[in-house]
Amino acid sequence: TVMRETLQLLEAVSSTVNGMYSVGDAKQADVLRAQLEIGRMTGQVADMEAMRRTMAARLNTVLNRPPGVPTGSPQLPVFPDTLPATDSVIATALASRGMLQAGADQVRAATAAEELAHREIWPDLEVGVIYGWQPMSGGGTDQMLSLMVGASVPIWAGSRQLKMRDETAAMRQMAVADLAAMQSDTRGRVAELVAEFERTRNLHILYGQTLLPQAEATASSARAAYQVGGVDFMTYLDAIMTVYSYRSQVVRLDAEQGQALAELEMVTAKPLVVSTPEPALTAPGGAP
């Protein structure tokens, strides 16, 4: 949208420059430079449209829909003004992240396996009782009672039970190390994402509330000055492209801020943004 609006503005500027050139108030170089910028912006619009189609197809694939189904126009959610303290977010992630819970389950399972391996070296005791009877030819019955006591001794403990004990101990150590690595990665990633959120939020405020209004005021002033010959065409064109650059940067910062929050939600398993209603499935510009 920003590119299309800038392209329309450049086309209007080119028309103005052509009119001024026809009466001798502008240089031919100004006309050519305006056409060059129009061609460049047209190419960027085409690239962005192709990129959007690719991303829409990927989104439909994730949603298990045909690639050509309209995805609608993106709607920004309500971003929080601030986040809890980094230590608080890290504690939430350590307590709630599914990956860490699965890692803790692996440690518990490995610990139980190691305890079981330690018991394998104990002798297995067996106690049995057998009772039997059968009728006798002269009458009566013949009864029999047997008692059996036995034990299995691990004769090959050095090559079997002890090796199994060592293996289960190593598996437990590996599970503990994996869990520690995931916890460390979680702490570091949360800190990075909080810093990224703060960076994009502060830059968004700077661009949106300071730099962009100043650039728009400069472009308006340059336009008026150019029409009366106060500045050259390049100064006016640079002012227009600066506005375009700052508007594009504001959109990029929105995307980066949303990406940081989305990953924080994934890591902490907690909602951080206010969801918006699902957009209507229409193509960009409102066409069905």
Side-chain angles (χ1 to χ4, degrees):
T1 300
V2 172
M3 286 181 174
R4 290 193 185 99
E5 292 176 355
T6 304
L7 178 59
Q8 293 175 359
L9 177 59
L10 289 174
E11 290 172 346
V13 169
S14 177
S15 178
T16 300
V17 173
N18 285 331
M20 296 175 63
Y21 176 70
S22 64
V23 296
D25 291 336
K27 301 177 182 178
Q28 184 180 20
D30 297 344
V31 176
L32 297 177
R33 184 55 189 268
Q35 294 175 350
L36 175 63
E37 291 298 331
I38 289 174
R40 181 182 301 173
M41 185 61 63
T42 301
Q44 292 180 1
V45 170
D47 288 342
M48 185 63 68
E49 289 175 343
M51 184 184 301
R52 188 191 189 283
R53 288 193 296 270
T54 300
M55 298 304 295
R58 291 180 182 176
L59 178 59
N60 282 328
T61 300
V62 172
L63 297 176
N64 194 25
R65 301 189 304 195
V69 173
T71 56
S73 297
Q75 300 294 328
L76 284 179
V78 179
F79 294 154
D81 293 332
T82 59
L83 291 177
T86 303
D87 291 341
S88 176
V89 181
I90 290 176
T92 300
L94 293 177
S96 304
R97 192 176 189 185
M99 180 186 300
L100 298 181
Q101 295 175 357
D105 290 340
Q106 291 290 337
V107 172
R108 286 191 289 268
T111 302
E114 184 182 13
E115 293 174 353
L116 181 61
H118 277 267
R119 297 192 184 100
E120 289 292 328
I121 201 172
W122 296 355
D124 292 333
L125 298 178
E126 298 178 359
V127 178
V129 178
I130 301 175
Y131 171 75
W133 68 275
Q134 62 180 359
M136 302 296 292
S137 59
T141 58
D142 184 16
Q143 301 183 36
M144 181 182 64
L145 177 65
S146 300
L147 177 64
M148 181 182 65
V149 178
S152 62
V153 180
I155 300 176
W156 311 106
S159 60
R160 294 182 181 179
Q161 284 80 4
L162 294 182
K163 294 297 184 182
M164 183 184 299
R165 180 186 298 181
D166 294 340
E167 180 182 356
T168 55
M171 295 295 291
R172 180 187 58 80
Q173 294 173 0
M174 183 175 67
V176 171
D178 288 342
L179 178 59
M182 288 188 291
Q183 291 172 337
S184 178
D185 179 73
T186 298
R187 285 190 289 266
R189 189 56 184 157
V190 167
E192 291 177 4
L193 292 171
V194 171
E196 178 68 8
F197 166 79
E198 294 175 349
R199 179 190 72 85
T200 53
R201 179 178 177 275
N202 293 334
L203 285 177
H204 189 280
I205 294 174
L206 175 63
Y207 276 91
Q209 299 181 7
T210 302
L211 297 180
L212 181 56
Q214 291 177 354
E216 290 173 340
T218 300
S220 298
S221 176
R223 176 183 180 183
Y226 175 69
Q227 290 176 342
V228 297
V231 298
D232 57 17
F233 179 70
M234 287 302 302
T235 301
Y236 177 33
L237 186 61
D238 287 343
I240 294 175
M241 299 311 296
T242 299
V243 172
Y244 160 72
S245 176
Y246 287 167
R247 290 186 65 191
S248 300
Q249 186 63 22
V250 168
V251 176
R252 293 189 184 96
L253 290 171
D254 278 332
E256 293 173 3
Q257 187 176 2
Q259 289 171 349
L261 289 171
E263 189 170 348
L264 271 176
E265 286 189 340
M266 180 186 68
V267 173
T268 60
K270 300 293 182 182
L272 298 174
V273 300
V274 178
S275 60
T276 56
E278 184 177 352
L281 297 182
T282 56

